[in-house]
Amino acid sequence: QVQLVESGGGLVQAGGSLRLSCAASGRTFSTYQMDWFRRTPGKEREFVAGINWRNGNTYYRDSVKGRFTISRDNAKNTVYLQMNSLKPEDTAVYYCAARLSPTSVGYEYWGQGTQVTVSS
């Protein structure tokens, strides 16, 4: 069994920065893609950023491009989301998710989420 544990959320003023971490633990971890999602009350969960674990290719939703950076540390089985120039609309619970194979239907593992609150 694999567990994903997020950390790094908190309260920050608009324009500030936070770095989220998602550490994978459990059985030997081998994954294909790690993504960050977020959810706010009353809205659908939305994709934020993703990284191909094997080649390092990254993907972002348009609204965070140039502000957020996803990265990984393979040795630590950890994915990061560096969030700069935060805006109130970035306020959400952020989740990481692991997709183990390119043929996976959906994500096999999800973290418990970490709250990010950006005050104006």
Side-chain angles (χ1 to χ4, degrees), residues 4 11 13 24 26 33 38 45 50 59 63 70 75 81-82 90 92 99-101 104 108-109 116 119:
L4 302 179
L11 173 64
Q13 288 189 328
Q33 178 128 341
R38 64 188 181 190
R45 181 177 60 201
Y59 312 88
S63 62
I70 189 170
L81 186 67
Q82 177 67 44
D90 295 318
R99 187 173 170 220
L100 301 187
S101 163
S104 294
E108 284 84 352
Y109 298 103
V116 171
S119 64

Side-chain angles (χ1 to χ4, degrees), residues 5-115:
V5 180
E6 300 104 334
S7 61
L11 173 64
V12 64
Q13 288 189 328
S17 298
L18 285 174
R19 188 176 83 152
L20 305 183
S21 299
C22 173
S25 63
R27 65 174 177 85
T28 301
F29 184 70
S30 177
T31 188
Y32 172 73
Q33 178 128 341
M34 294 286 289
D35 293 348
W36 286 96
F37 289 80
R38 64 188 181 190
R39 174 178 277 162
T40 55
K43 293 180 66 176
E44 294 288 324
R45 181 177 60 201
E46 62 183 20
F47 170 82
V48 177
I51 187 165
N52 185 296
W53 204 254
R54 301 173 187 176
N55 62 25
N57 288 345
T58 58
Y59 312 88
Y60 299 93
R61 70 179 298 105
D62 287 345
S63 62
V64 308
K65 286 179 181 177
R67 300 188 299 122
F68 290 11
T69 303
I70 189 170
S71 62
R72 75 196 193 291
D73 185 330
N74 295 55
K76 295 182 178 179
N77 289 335
T78 299
V79 62
Y80 304 97
L81 186 67
Q82 177 67 44
M83 305 186 295
N84 299 328
S85 302
L86 282 162
K87 304 176 180 180
E89 52 263 42
D90 295 318
T91 295
V93 178
Y94 284 71
Y95 302 87
C96 65
R99 187 173 170 220
L100 301 187
S101 163
T103 59
S104 294
V105 178
Y107 296 83
E108 284 84 352
Y109 298 103
W110 289 85
Q112 82 289 350
T114 185
Q115 177 70 48

